[in-house]
Amino acid sequence: MQHDKVLILDFGSQYTQLIARRVRELNIYSEIHPFNKIPTNIEEYKAVVLSGSPFSVRSEEALHPDLSNIRGKKPMLAVCYGAQYLAHFSGGEVAPSNTREYGRANLSFIKSNEPFLAHIHTGSQVWMSHSDTIKKLPDNAVLIASTHDVENAAYRINGEETYAIQFHPEVYHSTDGKQLLENFLVDIAGLKQDWTPDSFVEETVEAIKEKVGNDKVVLGLSGGVDSTVAAVLLNKAIGKNLYCIFVNNGLLRKNEFESVLKQYEGMGLNVKGVDASNRFLEALKGIEDPEKKRKAIGNSFIEVFDDEAHKLEEVKWLAQGTIYPDVIESVSATGGPSATIKSHHNVGGLPDFMKLKIVEPLRAIFKDEVRRVGSTLGIDPELLGRHPFPGPGLGIRILGDITAEKVRILQEVDAIFINGLKSWGLYDKVWQAGAMLLPVNSVGVMGDERTYEKCVALRAVESTDGMTADWVNLPYEFLQKTSNDIINKVKGVNRVVYDISSKPPATIEWE
Ligand code: XMP
């Protein structure tokens, strides 16, 4: 790959991935590496960005890598912790701040002849998030911007291409953040802006051809964006040597198996639909525990996929839709591996005995880039804009044991909810939506009859990556209509509730 690259050294900030994405939005390729694992091929990177961090440079556990191979030798931008790090270890002074320095602030002083601050004007809004403040700048520093509360908001080092800012240019609330990154990366560091979806497609197709040659590749399609884009890319590279398998686990949305399969065929993919609904339902019989359900679904998937892959002769490769956030090795702010809240089941994690080599064409890109690449490849925008849907499907939205009848009920409810969101123009305003079938019956009255039937919960959330989420304030009129439709049309349901929990402390799925 012949692109100029930016190295982002991660000190554990929650915004590190955002820095990489903002840089990529400028059509410049960026990579995240942990602060303590600086790549040995450092000469391949044209600029370096130091991220923020939850740590204080004054604390004992302060993260301080040896930057002697970078500092002064390459253009460097130090953000928040990075800016404090430079100050603390180079003759400046960092101390706890007296005033709150979180959220919105405005640049009140700007040295206007600085190329780093070109096109940025006094009053520009920036986003702060720090509890320490730089009291004294490091040696050879020149102050170039301040806010009302933070005098040392931006500085540069004389005689070096080193810039430091106390605020976060990567968050949307820093309105000129992208301009600032462009000033630094393009005008100062001289990087080319040639990392585009078109160039990605072209290069990836060539790389796949080179890697797999005339070998056969198998890929599990899930109906989601990532596996679909991966399949279309591979199809472009190797055509009929790509064998796609789309498994119906019986836990998909209403009519989804048939309609998505048709869509795949229409896209020219060599795809086989395998209806294994009964096998999954059988494996799930009587299981109530969420983790055991996930395991049962995961294992059944592996069995079905393995059976199908064995029917193909001489397959050497397994393709997966893994994306960049799955492979970034980030610094954990808690210092250890995070607790397993839920064991997510995906197409990955196939057993060793399959002995297939792995090809992952989307390994280097973020979700929003996957969508851009998908659109360059001509994939239907409706498919690219679909909400995320979990691998175990409705299996983790039916609380308690799973039966064919419960799946039917939930599919009907879900279809009314999702189609309603679409027809009210709300679907694209919501990050993810779905319905949960609760394991309780409650008393109702329909006509003059007493009913004792199921309750469903509707959930619609806004989020950027599923890590945190908030419930969406859907219009009451919409909820009213949807609730009526569900109770009138779906036999077996007499009560609808709306989930108003955020994540954390709740999660998006109920299991
Ligand atoms: P939670 O419920 O953990 O969900 O807040 C966060 C996001 O992950 C999806 N999810 C899954 N996706 N396999 C998947 O492929 C899983 O086992 C799984 N569990 C949750 C969930 O739909 C949401 O988008």
Side-chain angles (χ1 to χ4, degrees), residues 294 341-346 388-392 396-397 431-432 465-467 503 506-511:
R294 277 193 159 72
I341 311 290
K342 299 175 185 184
S343 53
H344 281 205
H345 148 73
N346 285 315
F389 187 68
I396 53 170
R397 294 184 180 172
W431 190 77
Q432 184 172 17
D465 52 14
M467 301 297 288
K503 172 184 181 176
T507 52
I508 296 175
E509 307 293 346
W510 280 39
E511 287 196 335

Side-chain angles (χ1 to χ4, degrees), residues 245-249 257 261 272-277 304 308 311:
I245 297 172
F246 180 36
V247 177
N248 183 6
N249 58 12
F257 182 60
L261 190 57
K272 177 173 181 188
V274 181
D275 189 353
S277 318
V304 174
E308 292 303 319
K311 288 183 198 159

Side-chain angles (χ1 to χ4, degrees), residues 391-403:
L394 301 181
I396 53 170
R397 294 184 180 172
I398 295 173
L399 280 76
D401 72 321
I402 296 169
T403 62

Side-chain angles (χ1 to χ4, degrees), residues 71-72 74-78 86 155-157 160-164:
R71 169 96 192 258
K74 281 182 190 294
M76 184 163 93
L77 174 62
L86 286 188
Y155 63 86
R156 68 172 170 80
I157 306 286
E160 296 178 14
E161 285 179 315
T162 300
Y163 295 81

Side-chain angles (χ1 to χ4, degrees), residues 208 219 225-235 242 319-321 361-362:
I208 294 170
L219 176 143
V225 178
D226 302 343
S227 64
T228 305
V229 174
V232 174
L233 266 175
L234 280 146
N235 184 47
L242 172 69
Q320 298 188 138
L362 309 179

